[in-house]
Amino acid sequence: MHIAILTFEGYNELDSLIALGVLNRVRADDWRVTIATPGPRVTSMNGVVIEQMSTLEEACAADAVIIGSGIATREVVEDPAIMGILRGLDPSRRLIAAQCSGALVSARLGLLHDIPACTDLITRPWVAAAGVEVLDQPFYARGNIATAGGCLASHYLAAWVIARLAGKEAADDALHYVAPVGEKEEYVERAWRNITPYLPDPAPVMTRAAAAAAAAVSVR
């Protein structure tokens, strides 16, 4: 399984790196989490430089993609080279999640047609202007598409991805590990209150074979 976190110039460290840390709590030989960038390296809104782990083209072939947030998202959605590549993101073939202003990217890609979204307070008017209903809550998902609003909601997206790809028990373990000592049960319970309503019951593990079957059905 490959999970790619799209990370652009001016990225928000909390959005990309918290998800990276939570997702990497899954210990499996075929589990790979990467930071996908447009170029060899990107610099965060606070000056943290990270190097590319995968390309945007590779991200578009991943099993799950998290679209990260940052201070330059409006520039990203106006970049024809970046958006041209990201138009290859197909929710019938993979999970697609967006964090904060990443929802604007999803909206401009047409992924949120008739699907409400969560985003941060600054990005909210831009997502609304793109014709998307914005919810006053931290997390929402429908089918293979999810959004989260607020930097510290990034672990909701990560847990949702883990639950869908590796099962709820794996997601529960990851959340429990990163939760504050002395607050673990409360922290994990709150996370599941926000995530569980948007998981299929029981949450299926989206294997490569299942994804390929779903894609075949969509082609018909």
Side-chain angles (χ1 to χ4, degrees):
M1 291 290 177
H2 177 201
I3 301 93
I5 303 170
L6 303 188
T7 304
F8 306 104
E9 194 67 24
Y11 73 93
N12 185 317
E13 303 95 335
L14 295 176
D15 293 341
S16 289
L17 300 183
I18 288 178
L20 179 74
V22 176
L23 287 162
N24 271 314
R25 295 314 308 165
V26 176
R27 305 301 186 190
D29 291 339
D30 65 344
W31 189 266
R32 176 178 174 234
V33 186
T34 65
I35 297 292
T37 63
R41 59 187 57 83
V42 290
T43 302
S44 78
M45 59 194 295
N46 294 306
V48 179
V49 179
I50 56 175
E51 295 189 353
Q52 181 183 72
M53 298 172 68
S54 63
T55 66
L56 298 185
E57 289 86 353
E58 290 172 323
C60 288
D63 299 282
V65 174
I66 294 178
I67 305 172
S69 182
I71 59 173
T73 305
R74 285 191 292 176
E75 286 80 0
V76 169
V77 298
E78 297 300 334
D79 188 319
I82 291 176
M83 295 300 282
I85 295 171
L86 298 185
R87 294 194 189 284
L89 290 173
D90 182 352
S92 73
R93 295 173 178 268
R94 62 193 47 82
L95 305 178
I96 302 176
Q99 174 67 37
C100 289
S101 65
L104 180 60
V105 178
S106 289
R108 293 290 289 271
L109 290 172
L111 298 174
L112 298 179
H113 179 65
D114 291 334
I115 299 177
C118 303
T119 189
D120 62 277
L121 299 181
I122 293 175
T123 307
R124 183 182 185 118
W126 307 332
V127 174
V132 177
E133 178 190 358
V134 179
L135 303 173
D136 187 24
Q137 61 189 60
F139 179 82
Y140 180 84
R142 181 184 297 174
N144 288 346
I145 295 176
T147 53
C151 301
L152 295 182
S154 57
H155 67 292
Y156 295 161
L157 282 186
W160 177 79
V161 169
I162 295 172
R164 292 294 309 274
L165 296 180
K168 188 175 183 296
E169 182 177 351
D172 198 65
D173 288 344
L175 286 171
H176 191 271
Y177 181 89
V178 302
V181 172
E183 300 177 352
K184 289 186 179 293
E185 299 305 322
E186 175 188 355
Y187 189 94
V188 172
E189 182 182 351
R190 182 174 64 249
W192 286 122
R193 281 202 307 268
N194 284 288
I195 301 167
T196 301
Y198 308 108
L199 286 174
D201 187 22
V205 175
M206 187 178 178
T207 63
R208 289 184 184 275
V217 170
S218 69
V219 170
R220 299 194 196 107

